[in-house]
Amino acid sequence: MYYISLYYTAFKYNLKSLYEYRFDFWVGIITLMIMQGIGLMFLWVIYQYTTALSGWSLNEVVFIYGFQQVVHSLYITFFGNVTGLEQLIKHGTFDCYLVRPAFPLFQLMITKLNITGFAGLIVSIILLVYSVYRIGLQLNLAKFVALMVFLTTGVLIYFSLSLIVSTCAFWLTRTMRLQQLIFDFSEFTRYPIDIFHSGLQLVLTVVIPFALASYYPALFFVKEAAFLEISLKILGGTLLFYVISYRFWRFGLKYYHSTGT
Amino acid sequence: MSLIEVKNITKVYKIKPSKNIFSLNKSATKVNAVDDISFKINRGEIIGYIGKNGAGKSTTIKILSGILLPTSGVVTVDGIVPYKNRIKNARKIGVVFGQRSQLYWDLPVIDSFCFLRKLYQVDHDTYQQNMNYFDEFFSLQDLLDRPVRKLSLGQRMKCDLCAALLHSPEILYLDEPTIGLDILTKNNVREFIKKINQEKKITVMLTTHDIEDIEHLSSRIILIDQGKKMYDGPITGIQKHLTRKRLIKVVTEKPFTQVLENIEQPNIKECHANFVIDLDQNSIPNVINAISGSNVIKDITVQEPNLEQILFHYYQQIEK
Amino acid sequence: MFGKYFSVLEIGYRQSVAYKGDFIIGSISTLFRMMILAYIWTAVYQNANTTVINGRGLIETITYIILAQLIWSVLNTNLEVLLGFKIKKGEITRDLIKPINFPLLIFLDNLGFSLFILLVQTMPAFVIACFMFDIQTPASILHILFTLLSIILAFFIYASFSFTIGIIGFWAQNVWGISLLKKLIFNTFSGSLVPLFLYPPMIQKWIYLLPFKEIINTPLVIYLDADLQMILSLLGRQLFWAVTFFILSQISWMYLKRKIEILGG
Ligand SMILES: Nc1ncnc2c1ncn2[C@@H]1O[C@H](COP(=O)(O)OP(=O)(O)O)[C@@H](O)[C@H]1O
Ligand SMILES: [Mg+2]
């Protein structure tokens, strides 16, 4: 409860903070929304010349694309600040967090509002809903719950990977580029990964498992792959990466407590 | 029992020679930033924690406030070990790091206050009381609605100070709170610290290398150098320690070129010379005679050195 | 005469050497983008059961895509952000004193940076991509030279445009949103994301009316197949846009200069 109300308060002020630069703010928001539309247009152009890519139709690919975008936007909205740890340490602001009576990771999360994620969320939800409708996917209660669960695990995967890289900031001075490198992989998972080289597919499933956050859920919802196998993969992978990342974060924090910067 | 008890704390930093991944095998050098320091602070005291740059002041503050773990030794703050029970300790303390702000850069000051109020779960009455109290002293009203980025350094420091006190902490740690401020603001800030110490009974520990801070604020100082505690006691003590010294300023007619015996570190600029003599080894008439033997003294003043000069002198001694 | 401009260029280059670690990652990012697009279009050609789409074969398409990423990664430096920094930190008053046309100064500063990016970030990605995919070799040396010339013109078009965006950013107090918008427009209409010939003909018609195609599509059309006469007319059109945008940047610069002189930087 304490953390929820704290989140809300921070949200309010962060929004206000962004709003200081009104004109640019709105230009940016609208651009971000259009950008996601452009992604859709890209898919549409592709499907002018073919009806299926490795067996995936346009609407099915839009589902993957939409799913990935929802997950990514949620991640940016709620956890995007994790990537800013490097800056906080550099400017010493992180010390201020450590002398306050709330979890440092939580304070890190609410450093500022990532409106980029928020704007993206609106469009990507529309995309996802649209594709569900076009595919004719029947969302009964069970499937709806599964959808929510897989969105959550997807966000957790993104968060975990990002936290692992950000935590490196306790040792390295710069992590932004590394972060970018890791998240470049997520761009592959906006499309059915079957079209890529098999080695790359393996990397996206096991090493940097962004595919677990969008492609595998789509396999289940669109291609009606076996639920048990898919969900085991997704839940197992998510749990594993979440635990690793949180442990690593605690380890990094301990290291910071004992060395400072 | 004392409020803050520090027993034999040591902090060793390992410094890697380069951040390059390819040179990990180079051995790290160790720095004893804090070296076997012990002290006790009682409720209601103002402690001046002084030392040169790099003496280990910030490190000590970080350990006391729970940010850093000491390599060895124990700290208890009101019965709590800060680095073990960080959150519990955090509710009782306020910390200001002189050069960084914890306020929202783009927002009016009041917003940061409201956020911190939520974070520390300060109830409405306490918050109002505290705000009125701060406002009375600093006239915050004019500042509260301005974005932090548009405040001057002094105004920001005042706001940061208040931000750290919003939740009525028992202890206030200030790491170089007056750095970069002009004289008027410095005075203002000092008065404020004194006032909250007296009226609210807040224990204050401030680090500084501005000696005037100490002269205004604290009756007790802890002097550290290279991580070691050199002195702990009333200011008058350290003054007495060095009262056999005299600072002599001479203005001569011809450029001053003489080498004087038994005199440390003369500071010479053409016809002006400043030096400190030790009355146990030398006497003022002796010095005057020595100088006027080959030069003409146009002006001379003899002073008991003030704290700053004493410390300057003290540091030089330590270095030898 | 050109010595002073050259030294600016050199400093831009030197400054960037300091960040060499970043460029390895930048290189991988570039490669990834080349790969994603190339794989997707390969799959499209396969699934469409055709060797030619809108008159172009797969090899031509992949050549276009990979070279487009190459050009884009070189051009796409955040000049407007740099300008924003200079204004905010007051560095600009220092630059005002220098006896150099300011927009040109910034362009050259950026060109040094771009060349460096090309060398350490884009080229490695390009070489690897060449091993992974079939790429059409240029028809003649002359085609390479004309393509390079065209890319230089593209650089000036893009730099002038970015500069103007930077000034708008100054007026709006922040440059994040507008910079994003600029990228969006260029990504969509220049050919960096989708080769322009792959858009449905109906859309192509409109896109070709806009100037944004000049920075990527034009150099690549020159590279892929243009005959001499067409090359010259393409370069002529590019030059026209380059001059137009340069004048635009000069006008916006005069606006900024007046503002700075009034506000005192
Ligand atoms: N994070 C760190 N890693 C390594 N060495 C450090 C670190 N922080 C401080 N030091 C070193 O420890 C010593 C004490 O530093 P500090 O406590 O900041 O001194 P002060 O605050 O008195 O100026 C200095 O020699 C400094 O170089
Ligand atoms: Mg310090």
Side-chain angles (χ1 to χ4, degrees):
Chain A
M1 193 55 219
Y2 162 64
Y3 282 101
I4 291 173
S5 88
L6 196 57
Y7 194 95
Y8 170 74
T9 315
F11 180 87
K12 211 169 60 189
Y13 293 124
N14 285 327
L15 187 67
K16 213 172 151 191
S17 187
L18 263 182
Y19 206 62
E20 280 284 295
Y21 307 100
R22 230 151 293 182
F23 173 78
D24 191 60
F25 172 80
W26 285 113
V27 172
I29 294 298
I30 292 166
T31 307
L32 279 167
M33 293 183 163
I34 300 174
M35 266 180 166
Q36 282 181 317
I38 295 288
L40 187 65
M41 182 212 69
F42 175 61
L43 293 176
W44 177 76
V45 169
I46 287 173
Y47 277 90
Q48 292 300 300
Y49 308 106
T50 176
T51 50
L53 280 185
S54 302
W56 294 77
S57 73
L58 174 59
N59 290 321
E60 291 170 347
V61 176
V62 172
F63 183 88
I64 302 183
Y65 185 85
F67 203 93
Q68 194 270 348
Q69 294 283 299
V70 172
V71 167
H72 188 253
S73 309
L74 283 172
Y75 150 72
I76 295 280
T77 310
F78 293 106
F79 303 109
N81 285 323
V82 168
T83 59
L85 180 65
E86 160 201 308
Q87 291 295 316
L88 292 178
I89 291 179
K90 191 164 119 194
H91 297 142
T93 323
F94 194 65
D95 284 347
C96 296
Y97 288 4
L98 287 178
V99 297
R100 294 175 183 171
F103 294 124
L105 187 56
F106 184 80
Q107 291 186 61
L108 178 61
M109 273 163 49
I110 59 173
T111 307
K112 65 172 198 250
L113 181 64
N114 285 294
I115 201 71
T116 49
F118 216 65
L121 197 56
I122 298 169
V123 180
S124 53
I125 287 178
I126 294 174
L127 280 183
L128 189 62
V129 170
Y130 169 79
S131 75
V132 165
Y133 166 73
R134 286 304 296 263
I135 299 167
L137 187 64
Q138 294 298 318
L139 278 185
N140 54 24
L141 185 66
K143 280 214 168 152
F144 185 74
V145 172
L147 187 76
M148 290 301 141
V149 170
F150 288 153
L151 282 176
T152 314
T153 52
V155 175
L156 278 180
I157 294 241
Y158 275 63
F159 166 67
S160 307
L161 288 171
S162 157
L163 184 61
I164 290 174
V165 180
S166 301
T167 303
C168 294
F170 289 123
W171 292 271
L172 309 170
T173 31
R174 305 174 61 192
T175 56
M176 246 10 186
R177 282 289 169 157
L178 200 59
Q179 198 79 244
Q180 189 203 326
L181 176 67
I182 298 296
F183 275 79
D184 276 339
F185 278 95
S186 76
E187 295 196 11
F188 288 103
T189 60
R190 287 178 193 168
Y191 312 100
I193 61 172
D194 323 54
I195 61 174
F196 303 117
H197 189 273
S198 57
L200 187 55
Q201 289 181 31
L202 194 69
V203 170
L204 292 171
T205 312
V206 181
V207 187
I208 307 175
F210 283 117
L212 293 182
S214 56
Y215 171 75
Y216 284 95
L219 269 187
F220 167 67
F221 289 109
V222 178
K223 295 293 182 196
E224 286 168 358
F227 175 71
L228 196 67
E229 193 198 324
I230 295 277
S231 54
L232 272 183
K233 261 189 196 167
I234 295 177
L235 292 178
T238 309
L239 194 67
L240 181 70
F241 273 83
Y242 178 72
V243 169
I244 292 176
S245 70
Y246 192 69
R247 282 273 164 86
F248 187 49
W249 161 259
R250 298 294 305 177
F251 178 71
L253 204 60
K254 210 177 244 170
Y255 176 83
Y256 187 80
H257 275 304
S258 68
T259 58
T261 39
Chain B
M1 204 181 93
S2 306
L3 182 62
I4 301 176
E5 295 195 14
V6 175
K7 273 194 214 99
N8 306 96
I9 53 163
T10 299
K11 180 75 207 172
V12 182
Y13 288 119
K14 291 193 190 78
I15 300 176
K16 303 232 172 71
S18 149
K19 298 235 166 179
N20 198 326
I21 325 165
F22 302 108
S23 57
L24 276 182
N25 50 355
K26 279 187 207 165
S27 64
T29 47
K30 290 182 179 177
V31 178
N32 284 28
V34 171
D35 200 347
D36 197 24
I37 285 185
S38 308
F39 54 82
K40 286 180 183 175
I41 297 175
N42 292 317
R43 210 172 278 274
E45 276 191 287
I46 299 186
I47 301 292
Y49 201 65
I50 52 177
K52 290 181 296 188
N53 281 326
K57 304 183 293 294
S58 299
T59 306
T60 314
I61 294 282
K62 283 181 185 173
I63 293 173
L64 289 183
S65 56
I67 297 172
L68 274 180
L69 211 72
T71 312
S72 65
V74 186
V75 177
T76 50
V77 177
D78 202 10
I80 301 169
V81 179
Y83 40 86
K84 285 198 180 137
N85 213 333
R86 202 184 55 75
I87 289 189
K88 200 165 170 207
N89 179 57
R91 292 189 190 282
K92 300 191 175 185
I93 64 169
V95 187
V96 178
F97 295 104
Q99 277 158 318
R100 54 191 87 134
S101 177
Q102 61 164 334
L103 308 170
Y104 280 101
W105 186 243
D106 279 326
L107 289 188
V109 180
I110 184 77
D111 291 350
S112 297
F113 282 11
C114 289
F115 172 72
L116 288 171
R117 185 191 146 196
K118 266 268 154 57
L119 198 146
Y120 284 98
Q121 296 168 294
V122 182
D123 63 69
H124 183 263
D125 290 346
T126 317
Y127 176 76
Q128 274 311 324
Q129 269 170 22
N130 280 342
M131 286 305 280
N132 290 340
Y133 186 85
F134 302 148
D135 184 43
E136 215 172 279
F137 194 88
F138 280 142
S139 316
L140 285 183
Q141 224 58 57
D142 316 332
L143 303 179
L144 287 180
D145 293 326
R146 281 200 240 164
V148 174
R149 68 182 136 87
K150 290 188 179 161
L151 296 182
S152 75
L153 186 63
Q155 291 167 331
R156 214 204 65 206
M157 177 49 73
K158 289 174 189 170
C159 293
D160 254 312
L161 207 56
C162 296
L165 289 167
L166 268 185
H167 56 291
S168 321
E170 292 170 35
I171 304 168
L172 183 62
Y173 298 113
L174 304 167
D175 194 6
E176 311 209 2
T178 54
I179 195 160
L181 305 183
D182 66 61
I183 298 199
L184 278 177
T185 321
K186 262 185 199 172
N187 255 325
N188 209 214
V189 166
R190 283 173 197 147
E191 290 303 318
F192 182 68
I193 296 172
K194 206 166 197 164
K195 186 173 149 91
I196 57 158
N197 171 257
Q198 280 164 2
E199 294 177 4
K200 300 208 155 207
K201 302 284 172 265
I202 296 176
T203 311
V204 180
M205 172 158 179
L206 82 159
T207 78
T208 183
H209 41 223
D210 188 333
I211 302 309
E212 283 184 40
D213 285 348
I214 306 294
E215 282 174 335
H216 278 77
L217 284 172
S218 58
S219 49
R220 174 178 163 200
I221 61 174
I222 296 175
L223 176 73
I224 58 166
D225 195 70
Q226 296 182 4
K228 292 202 175 60
K229 189 167 91 173
M230 307 305 292
Y231 177 81
D232 181 354
I235 297 184
T236 43
I238 198 163
Q239 274 164 335
K240 209 176 288 162
H241 191 69
L242 293 159
T243 40
R244 300 292 294 160
K245 307 275 180 182
R246 287 294 178 274
L247 177 74
I248 302 184
K249 295 182 181 174
V250 207
V251 183
T252 51
E253 215 167 61
K254 288 182 283 179
F256 194 93
T257 51
Q258 258 168 328
V259 182
L260 297 165
E261 268 176 44
N262 278 335
I263 286 175
E264 303 151 28
Q265 300 288 332
N267 184 352
I268 300 170
K269 268 197 204 113
E270 303 237 313
C271 303
H272 297 256
N274 294 346
F275 39 81
V276 179
I277 63 164
D278 190 334
L279 294 184
D280 294 335
Q281 296 174 14
N282 219 327
S283 70
I284 296 168
N286 264 352
V287 174
I288 295 174
N289 283 341
I291 298 173
S292 46
S294 59
N295 210 329
V296 181
I297 298 177
K298 281 173 69 182
D299 190 7
I300 184 163
T301 48
V302 180
Q303 288 175 353
E304 252 187 65
N306 63 18
L307 191 57
E308 182 163 8
Q309 286 151 344
I310 290 176
L311 285 175
F312 178 68
H313 194 78
Y314 197 77
Y315 291 145
Q316 283 180 335
Q317 276 189 336
I318 292 168
E319 246 149 55
K320 272 182 222 156
Chain C
M1 164 67 205
F2 284 107
K4 61 186 178 186
Y5 289 104
F6 187 76
S7 69
V8 173
L9 201 145
E10 191 189 337
I11 290 208
Y13 178 88
R14 287 250 181 96
Q15 281 174 343
S16 15
V17 181
Y19 295 99
K20 57 180 179 287
D22 289 3
F23 294 109
I24 298 172
I25 288 166
S27 187
I28 297 172
S29 299
T30 310
L31 181 64
F32 277 4
R33 235 164 300 125
M34 289 175 175
M35 277 165 63
I36 292 179
L37 294 171
Y39 274 128
I40 287 176
W41 285 104
T42 308
V44 171
Y45 273 83
Q46 270 166 11
N47 285 282
N49 278 323
T50 169
T51 50
V52 178
I53 293 177
N54 288 355
R56 302 271 186 190
L58 178 60
I59 293 191
E60 279 174 295
T61 301
I62 287 190
T63 308
Y64 187 114
I65 284 165
I66 289 177
L67 286 177
Q69 287 305 315
L70 181 118
I71 299 175
W72 180 242
S73 78
V74 172
L75 296 190
N76 188 20
T77 52
N78 291 323
L79 191 143
E80 66 277 356
V81 178
L82 180 82
L83 184 63
F85 265 138
K86 285 205 176 215
I87 297 172
K88 253 188 194 154
K89 283 207 220 135
E91 259 184 47
I92 198 154
T93 38
R94 208 179 65 199
D95 287 323
L96 271 173
I97 306 166
K98 288 183 192 158
I100 298 184
N101 179 296
F102 180 73
L104 210 53
L105 175 101
I106 282 226
F107 295 173
L108 290 170
D109 192 44
N110 233 251
L111 187 59
F113 186 68
S114 282
L115 287 178
F116 185 79
I117 295 258
L118 177 68
L119 212 68
V120 301
Q121 174 169 317
T122 315
M123 270 303 165
F126 176 67
V127 171
I128 296 173
C130 285
F131 281 112
M132 297 175 75
F133 305 99
D134 280 339
I135 288 188
Q136 183 180 325
T137 46
S140 68
I141 298 281
L142 218 56
H143 276 81
I144 297 185
L145 291 178
F146 279 126
T147 307
L148 285 179
L149 183 62
S150 177
I151 293 176
I152 293 171
L153 283 173
F155 175 84
F156 274 95
I157 293 174
Y158 191 70
S160 307
F161 194 85
S162 301
F163 186 89
T164 311
I165 292 289
I167 306 279
I168 297 177
F170 166 73
W171 167 77
Q173 296 196 352
N174 206 3
V175 80
W176 166 77
I178 318 171
S179 171
L180 214 57
L181 181 62
K182 182 201 76 174
K183 252 178 217 163
L184 170 75
I185 291 173
F186 273 98
N187 247 318
T188 317
F189 300 121
S190 71
S192 85
L193 183 64
V194 181
L196 293 189
F197 60 77
L198 285 171
Y199 279 105
M202 182 189 78
I203 298 179
Q204 277 187 43
K205 214 169 56 192
W206 293 104
I207 293 180
Y208 280 121
L209 291 178
L210 302 169
F212 309 109
K213 63 179 185 301
E214 303 295 352
I215 69 155
I216 296 207
N217 191 60
T218 304
L220 290 179
V221 168
I222 291 176
Y223 178 90
L224 281 177
D225 54 9
D227 56 44
L228 192 61
Q229 201 184 355
M230 192 171 157
I231 289 178
L232 291 181
S233 80
L234 285 176
L235 285 176
R237 203 181 61 199
Q238 246 191 330
L239 190 63
F240 165 75
W241 283 115
V243 171
T244 309
F245 279 123
F246 187 70
I247 291 173
L248 196 65
S249 71
Q250 291 292 334
I251 293 173
S252 52
W253 165 236
M254 280 188 296
Y255 161 81
L256 178 67
K257 206 155 102 177
R258 181 120 41 83
K259 270 280 145 67
I260 290 176
E261 278 161 7
I262 294 168
L263 299 173

